[in-house]
Amino acid sequence: MDMLRTSSLVPLRKKQKVIQESHSLSKHEIKFSEVVLFIMERKMGRSRRTFLMDLGRRKGFRIENELRDSVTHVVAENNSCSEVLAWLQTKTLGDFSRLHLLNISWFTDCMEAGKPIKIENKHRLTQRPCCGSGPSPRPQQTNASAVVKISQYACQRRTTLQNYNGIFTDAFEILAENYEFNANKGPCLAFRRAASVLKSLPFTIVRMNDVQGLPCLGDEIKGVIEEIIEDGKSSKVVDVLNDEKYKSFKLLTSIFGVGLKTSEKWFEMGFQTLEYIKADKSLKLTKMQTAGLLYYEDLITPVSKAEAEAISLVVKDTVWTFLPDALVTLAGGFRRGKKMGHDVDLLITCPRPGEERKVLHNIIKQWKKQDLLIYYDIIESTLDEAELPSRRVDAFDHFQKSFAIFKLYKQRLDASISEEYQESDKMEAKNWKAIRIDLVIIPFDQYAYGLLGWTGSRQFERDLRRYANHEKRMMLDNHALYDKTKGIFLKAISEEDIFAHLGLEYLEPWERNA
Ligand code: DCT
Ligand code: MG
């Protein structure tokens, strides 16, 4: 979760004060200093102006509260050019002929592009008021819901990491998590689905009109959107972030090995801080939880792509000493293009059937010798007993796997590092980082299904299974696809094959960030 976004949902000051705050006090980094905006309140209203200013600042725009000489672009809504000029004349400003007088459409296009865009004629203020006192229409090409119908299934939407609606989706995710902590499955899923829909939109929602026709947005969800548009924050989110149970669960579930059940138990017992848990010797901790607490700081530090790739290389090195033709693939969020993750998901397979069976035990044996493992847990394959595909949508799969904590030694890949730096590094007591890894061993004939399942996102996977079931009368899991009408399993050697079996357009991994 982006700290800037989270903090903006909390009422740090009263609304009035926020409005008066100058951009120089704003907590957002200015990325485009050559453009200085001023948004006119006239005919727009104070709360909408506050919302738009906040949105722009989040995107790195410099936006002044007052009309100053530094301003280069004036943005207005529902005002004609002459109305704005008349208003400017009442201000003690130098030469205002240099100012770009623009319609709100230029601003919303900039928000979509994430940067200042070239001014076109359609963006300039016209002589006549643009559209009475009602809200001005969004540029047509940007309102996707008006042009194409957006599917209720994430597997029929392309969702990249470019999220134009973070202010809403962050709020939804907090509310979903809170429902999950309170074992309230329905609304939890509803908020997750809604977040996923908004993540796929190619524009930022700035008014309620923009959500018209979108799927998966019930009344409670629309209420949250409306409040954020009006006030810049959701009072429900503010309440959740201040809620003791939510705060405790957030902390407890961030410990490796602690799930909802344990969190509930510990919360009821009054354990609200890590110190309490560590200090209480009567608590029976699993080996996983003990490791989770011991390496807590490392494990909550995000894993970078470079770290994931470094571990992937170590895995390849080790695996290839036993199985030179094995395939090792980095899956999970990193395969979807994420720069950071909470763990490293690695899949291992071998084209020669059955050869993959011993590889996991061999890797672990080797790593123990090399002191590369802090913790590991081997879960043996249950493929032989399994009835495939599973009916349980969120069920664990049957592959042999290991949930482990890898000891990644800080590598000196960069030869240009100064000696001084290397000396100070040597003096550091700890020259490694604990990193969570999942190793999954997949038989070759199930590899396409395993890869699709372990690439995620979780919401994408849920919708893929729901789509298969409800729209195609098929059952999908990480091992197979079963056609209930024909009574047969459908073979696939690539992810493309699976999409084709389901009658879906192929989505690249980076389009599955639902
Ligand atoms: N997955 C699965 N079965 C599990 C666990 C995960 O099929 N028991 C799938 C869903 C997503 C993918 O594997 C990776 O899971 P995570 O690591 O939890 O998600 P991520 O998208 O990689 O997120 P992060 O970047 O935080 O690691
Ligand atoms: Mg992951």
Side-chain angles (χ1 to χ4, degrees), residues 332-333 336 338 341-343 345 396 453-454 456 458 478:
R336 302 195 309 273
K338 279 175 66 177
H342 92 283
D343 68 354
D345 306 291
F396 251 39
W454 277 88
R458 277 168 195 265
N478 286 1

Side-chain angles (χ1 to χ4, degrees), residues 375-435:
Y375 167 88
Y376 73 94
D377 177 10
I378 294 183
I379 295 157
E380 291 301 341
S381 157
T382 49
L383 280 168
D384 296 338
E385 307 116 65
E387 197 189 302
L388 300 175
S390 162
R391 273 176 201 280
R392 288 172 52 209
V393 176
D394 277 334
F396 251 39
D397 64 37
H398 301 278
F399 297 127
Q400 184 195 31
K401 58 177 82 69
S402 175
F403 301 127
I405 301 176
F406 189 84
K407 198 167 178 180
L408 181 65
Y409 287 95
K410 286 181 186 153
Q411 297 187 339
R412 293 190 182 86
L413 297 172
D414 187 354
S416 65
I417 294 175
S418 72
E419 270 180 27
E420 189 189 353
Y421 178 84
Q422 293 193 17
E423 278 308 311
S424 72
D425 215 26
K426 264 182 217 159
M427 278 153 47
E428 252 181 44
K430 181 167 166 283
N431 59 347
W432 50 269
K433 179 181 170 191
I435 295 184

Side-chain angles (χ1 to χ4, degrees), residues 20 39 54 167 249 255 296 335 338 372 411 469 484 503:
Q20 281 158 13
I39 300 179
D54 187 45
I167 190 168
F249 267 64
I255 305 167
Y296 183 78
R335 185 160 183 255
K338 279 175 66 177
L372 293 178
Q411 297 187 339
N469 200 3
K484 290 195 269 186

